[in-house]
Amino acid sequence: MKNSLEAINKRTEWFRESRFGMFIHWGLYSIPGKGEWIRSHQRLTVEEYEPYFESFNPTEYNPREWARQAKAAGMKYMVLTAKHHDGFCLFDSDYTEYKATNTPIGKDLVKEFVEAVREEGLKVGLYFSLIDWYHKDFPKYADLNHPMRGNEAYKDEKIDFDNYLTYLHNQVKEIVTKYGKIDILWFDYSYEEMVGEKWQATKLIEMVRHYQPDVIVDNRLETSGEGFGSIVTDDIQLYSGDFVSPEQIVPHEGIRNYKGDPVPWELCLTMNNNWAYNPTDYLYKSSKTLIRKLVECVSKNGNMILNVGPDALGQINSPSLAILNDFHEWMSRNGESIYGCVGAYDLPKPEWGYYTKKDNVIYAHVFEQPIGPIALPGLKEEEIKRMSFLHDGSEVKISKSWTTNAFPDMCFAQFGEIPHFTYPLPCDVDSVIKIELRGDKNEN
Ligand code: GLC
């Protein structure tokens, strides 16, 4: 049995329609506040990391509030780190003691999360690490990332990797059977020889699909943010996943398979430079940049999942909330140009921003202030039925002016009364002109 692009496209219909989601990296590592790789980076032993397990008590955890914040920002799905590389489980697994129910908080945090997300009407996803730095049978000495890599004490250690695989499969089974319908399963990640069948990926995906036939899976049973996997080839494996997961980079031309057909993809992106909480990382991207990157993803047929790293108590910090609020402002007025939209590949890329489109409507996302009228490359006056600003419905006129006469093949729009005047764009982030076309020229 193989996966196929038809099956992928069918499964990902709601996902491609949604375009925008929230990633949440949260766990024991939120206490030291130096990112989720702290155990690996600082080569901490289990014992050195243990104080965080003993003190994990996120009393402000309120997933309903997270879900409200995500929804207000225009996000349609949320993905939480049920287990990250440190092996600590936010869910109540029967196969380990290393879980939230055994910490001071004493609760199954995943259960509360999935319920809260569903109650807000969003789709729910869980991130699950294939890597496990806590399990005794996961490779250590020669592993690329393990906190105990290169540590002589582990050099001759015998591990039973099959035992680890049994554990991995059992836990994934818990994730897909104990929490109702899961919409996204976000595995992370494969590297070197730790890839594909090394995880018994066919068996794993057969089990996952048995319990959750519609779940959307990422491509990291085969790869990491550094690759695409077999989803772009003519030999798509059963465990290829349903979307490519570029990390911290927008693919400059979107992602297509070997035939040039578009393949679903999702940019995963941090607000600052850390996934998990890091109170000293002040390098936040501006809301303007982040909103524009969402537009760019959609213009290239992609999604964007934007990350927050709640703190040790379970709160989303104020710089992140401010960004979410700016998304709210923009998305509540301009979301129509994002949801269900695709790239306008039949039109040239405009210099002032991007086009997105849906059926017979083109959305011109104008980032850069034009001088006088604005050129609409690829569009003809006779094709245009009506133009308006999306945020307030006000009319945008086709421009006829002596300044445009020298360019008879180009259609121009103007924002105010006098054609050759320059009028400031209404929105500094992205002013969207909704261009309704006659006929069906722009059907894909
Ligand atoms: C990476 C990192 C990880 C993060 C993930 C999100 O592969 O290992 O810490 O969770 O990307 O995409």
Side-chain angles (χ1 to χ4, degrees):
M1 257 242 318
K2 294 266 163 105
N3 204 354
S4 72
L5 194 54
E6 296 71 60
I8 288 168
N9 280 334
K10 187 155 182 288
R11 261 197 300 272
T12 57
E13 219 164 286
W14 70 261
F15 178 74
R16 287 178 289 114
E17 172 91 27
S18 303
R19 289 299 184 213
F20 188 34
M22 177 183 272
F23 219 159
I24 304 165
H25 279 67
W26 189 56
L28 299 185
Y29 41 74
S30 309
I31 304 176
K34 292 185 178 54
E36 73 288 357
W37 274 69
I38 182 173
R39 256 206 78 197
S40 173
H41 290 161
Q42 301 189 0
R43 298 180 187 242
L44 301 179
T45 60
V46 167
E47 293 71 33
E48 286 167 326
Y49 197 64
E50 194 64 6
Y52 308 128
F53 178 78
E54 284 162 10
S55 61
F56 187 63
N57 196 14
T59 48
E60 301 306 308
Y61 178 55
N62 183 351
R64 195 66 195 262
E65 193 51 35
W66 291 356
R68 279 195 205 107
Q69 284 152 349
K71 187 175 178 176
M75 292 154 158
K76 299 287 190 189
Y77 57 95
M78 299 174 77
V79 178
L80 170 70
T81 49
K83 172 172 116 166
H84 207 277
H85 306 335
D86 65 0
F88 176 71
C89 300
L90 294 179
F91 65 104
D92 186 14
S93 171
D94 289 339
Y95 301 96
T96 183
E97 298 304 308
Y98 204 48
K99 53 184 179 180
T101 40
N102 289 339
T103 65
I105 194 68
K107 290 199 281 196
D108 185 328
L109 302 166
V110 166
K111 182 169 181 290
E112 293 188 11
F113 174 78
V114 296
E115 287 168 3
V117 175
R118 287 188 198 118
E119 274 163 29
E120 282 302 312
L122 303 181
K123 300 275 188 186
V124 64
L126 294 173
Y127 168 109
F128 189 89
S129 175
L130 300 167
I131 299 167
D132 191 317
W133 298 329
Y134 185 81
H135 199 280
K136 68 177 179 42
D137 290 315
F138 196 84
K140 302 176 193 66
Y141 180 79
D143 185 67
L144 183 67
N145 311 306
H146 198 284
M148 297 300 110
R149 64 192 175 282
N151 182 330
E152 295 296 321
Y154 293 91
K155 192 164 182 187
D156 300 315
E157 188 200 35
K158 297 269 166 297
I159 59 161
D160 179 355
F161 191 67
D162 285 343
N163 185 44
Y164 174 65
L165 287 179
T166 306
Y167 176 71
L168 169 74
H169 284 232
N170 279 337
Q171 284 202 325
V172 172
K173 183 168 174 183
E174 290 183 307
I175 290 286
V176 296
T177 55
K178 284 170 60 171
Y179 299 97
K181 188 170 190 292
I182 299 300
D183 301 298
I184 300 173
L185 195 50
W186 221 104
F187 288 119
D188 197 30
Y189 66 77
S190 296
Y191 56 104
E192 297 181 330
E193 80 282 2
M194 309 293 277
V195 56
E197 291 302 4
K198 180 82 181 185
W199 309 117
Q200 292 183 355
T202 300
K203 192 174 150 205
L204 188 67
I205 285 297
E206 277 169 352
M207 182 267 287
V208 165
R209 296 245 180 264
H210 174 75
Y211 294 109
Q212 301 273 351
D214 300 324
V215 70
I216 295 176
V217 181
D218 72 342
N219 64 339
R220 295 197 177 181
L221 277 166
E222 279 192 324
T223 179
S224 65
E226 296 181 41
F228 295 171
S230 67
I231 190 171
V232 296
T233 71
D234 64 349
D235 188 23
I236 307 182
Q237 299 304 309
L238 184 66
Y239 50 81
S240 69
D242 303 305
F243 63 92
V244 178
S245 55
E247 185 170 329
Q248 312 284 31
I249 189 163
V250 185
H252 55 278
E253 288 180 335
I255 295 177
R256 292 170 179 275
N257 70 6
Y258 72 107
K259 282 201 289 194
D261 294 334
V263 166
W265 61 271
E266 177 196 63
L267 163 69
C268 52
L269 181 65
T270 50
M271 289 183 174
N272 51 8
N273 286 302
N274 275 268
W275 293 102
Y277 186 59
N278 186 332
T280 60
D281 177 356
Y282 304 114
L283 297 176
Y284 285 86
K285 295 151 197 84
S286 69
S287 309
K288 180 168 161 176
T289 298
L290 292 168
I291 292 169
R292 289 179 171 193
K293 288 301 151 191
L294 171 61
V295 170
E296 184 180 341
C297 288
V298 177
S299 83
K300 296 171 180 177
N301 287 348
N303 284 25
M304 182 168 107
I305 185 163
L306 183 61
N307 183 71
V308 296
D311 65 20
L313 298 177
Q315 308 161 121
I316 300 178
N317 69 355
S318 8
S320 309
L321 287 177
I323 290 171
L324 293 177
N325 195 48
D326 291 340
F327 266 97
H328 167 73
E329 294 289 317
W330 190 86
M331 287 292 280
S332 56
R333 286 173 176 269
N334 297 289
E336 183 188 313
S337 65
I338 298 292
Y339 306 126
C341 286
V342 293
Y345 280 102
D346 43 354
L347 300 177
K349 152 105 181 55
E351 286 184 350
W352 36 253
Y354 294 96
Y355 286 132
T356 58
K357 75 171 191 179
K358 182 162 44 194
D359 303 325
N360 229 20
V361 179
I362 304 287
Y363 299 95
H365 296 262
V366 186
F367 296 172
E368 195 180 303
Q369 173 70 54
I371 297 296
I374 182 171
L376 301 173
L379 295 173
K380 298 208 180 337
E381 182 179 343
E382 59 273 19
E383 293 166 354
I384 298 175
K385 187 157 79 185
R386 185 181 305 122
M387 289 195 289
S388 54
F389 275 120
L390 186 55
H391 69 281
D392 67 356
S394 64
E395 180 183 32
V396 174
K397 285 190 181 143
I398 290 184
S399 188
K400 295 264 180 255
S401 135
W402 59 266
T403 55
T404 57
N405 282 348
F407 313 96
D409 296 335
M410 183 61 76
C411 178
F412 292 85
Q414 75 186 55
F415 304 148
E417 261 319 292
I418 304 175
H420 60 277
F421 271 32
T422 295
Y423 296 93
L425 287 171
C427 177
D428 173 54
V429 171
D430 172 11
S431 304
V432 184
I433 310 173
K434 177 175 181 177
I435 307 173
E436 294 166 71
L437 302 179
R438 302 176 199 283
D440 57 5
K441 170 181 182 274
N442 276 286
E443 295 299 346
N444 240 343

